[in-house]
Amino acid sequence: MPDLRALVRRPSPRLAEGIVTHIERSETLDLALAMRQWQAYVEALRAHGWQIREIEPVDHCPDGVFIEDAAVVYADVALLCRSGAAQRRAERRGVRAALEAEGYRIVEILEPGTLDGGDVLKHDGTVWVGLGGRTNEAGLAQLASALEPLGARVVGVPLSKVLHLKSAVTALPDGTVVGYAPLVDDPGTWERFEGVPEEPGSHVVLLGGGTVLMSTSAPRTAEVFADKGLRVVAVDMSEFEKLEGCVTCLSIRLRS
């Protein structure tokens, strides 16, 4: 059995103040419901063999729950990100210590580079990096410098329609990249791209063993995935979707 660990951070009391860029701000975010949804998300990971490591809260950071943006892991290296949104940089607190405790070598993205973990999609040795939002060319170059010696192929992907690359696309276990075509700048970036019928269907977390975690907001896409032979675990993400969040954003997944 692989060693599966996930770093998570509970929502801030200021969650409703989180940044939105490509959607209208919702006036109806329910913090209590968001906390229940976060707990259900964590329990879904735990139920599928993931060991949960909860990082210290950053209650003064509205977007702190979106922990994936704070770091990128590959092989034995963890890159501490430097967000393109300056107000999010305080969210790194506690992340270095947590990753060091898991045995990772730490590399930091330095000025003028910016990089958000949500802009990084990895599969089978290729690392695609979204450019044009929170991540810049200098951040991409620093990531490539850290990961290419480990055998990674790093590819920049222009991004203009969504917050992060993984707001537009993620990958299924067989490497097929899935996305909601109207929000994908260039589907031809990937040899195997498949459009899905709902925007939230673009977002999956690979739980292992042919099982994917996704939002209940994409029932038609869930049927498509089930027809492919995948086992679908669906969790309610409604409150986080009001802040452009999704199932990938709420954890840093560590596999060894």
Side-chain angles (χ1 to χ4, degrees):
M1 289 287 291
D3 181 16
L4 304 174
R5 294 154 290 155
L7 306 184
V8 300
R9 175 185 275 147
R10 64 186 54 244
S12 161
R14 296 175 56 188
L15 178 66
E17 301 171 37
I19 303 168
V20 294
T21 57
H22 291 270
I23 63 174
E24 294 295 323
R25 180 176 298 280
S26 171
E27 301 299 327
T28 63
L29 191 141
D30 184 330
L31 180 60
L33 177 57
M35 178 60 75
R36 294 195 297 273
Q37 291 176 350
W38 179 81
Q39 291 169 334
Y41 173 91
V42 169
E43 287 307 313
L45 291 174
R46 184 177 283 119
H48 290 84
W50 292 76
Q51 301 173 53
I52 302 302
R53 311 282 199 260
E54 186 172 342
I55 295 179
E56 64 179 281
V58 282
D59 287 350
H60 61 293
C61 297
D63 289 300
V65 68
F66 302 122
I67 189 68
E68 179 184 51
D69 291 324
V72 174
V73 296
Y74 189 94
D76 68 338
V77 168
L79 288 94
L80 287 182
C81 296
R82 180 174 181 268
S83 180
Q87 60 267 53
R88 293 199 61 191
R89 293 175 190 164
E91 297 171 25
R92 292 201 333 184
R93 192 181 81 188
V95 176
R96 173 191 286 271
L99 289 166
E100 287 178 334
E102 298 297 329
Y104 286 90
R105 294 189 290 118
I106 305 297
V107 176
E108 290 195 46
I109 299 297
L110 303 175
E111 189 177 3
T114 62
L115 177 75
D116 270 14
D119 274 323
V120 180
L121 174 63
K122 303 169 290 184
H123 187 82
D124 196 27
T126 299
V127 180
W128 295 277
V129 183
L131 293 169
R134 298 279 178 81
T135 297
N136 64 16
E137 291 280 0
L140 169 66
Q142 291 180 40
L143 180 143
S145 179
L147 300 190
E148 286 177 347
L150 303 174
R153 182 175 72 97
V154 178
V155 180
V157 180
L159 195 68
S160 66
K161 301 177 182 179
V162 292
L163 175 60
H164 289 127
L165 179 62
K166 281 192 285 192
S167 301
V169 296
T170 53
L172 299 180
D174 68 356
T176 300
V177 172
V178 294
Y180 182 59
L183 298 181
V184 180
D185 283 65
D186 182 11
T189 297
W190 297 277
E191 292 183 8
R192 289 188 293 167
F193 174 85
E194 182 174 332
V196 296
E198 301 142 312
E199 185 274 331
S202 304
H203 317 131
V204 300
V205 168
L206 306 186
L207 293 178
T211 301
V212 297
L213 178 68
M214 62 182 297
S215 171
T216 56
S217 299
R220 288 183 292 154
T221 307
E223 292 179 1
V224 171
F225 293 162
D227 287 344
K228 290 178 175 292
L230 295 170
R231 179 171 181 266
V232 175
V233 176
V235 291
D236 189 355
M237 291 267 92
S238 65
E239 303 313 290
F240 300 103
E241 289 166 352
K242 293 173 182 177
L243 295 167
E244 298 174 287
C246 66
V247 289
T248 71
C249 306
L250 299 184
S251 61
I252 301 172
R253 278 83 57 199
L254 315 175
R255 296 174 172 89
S256 59

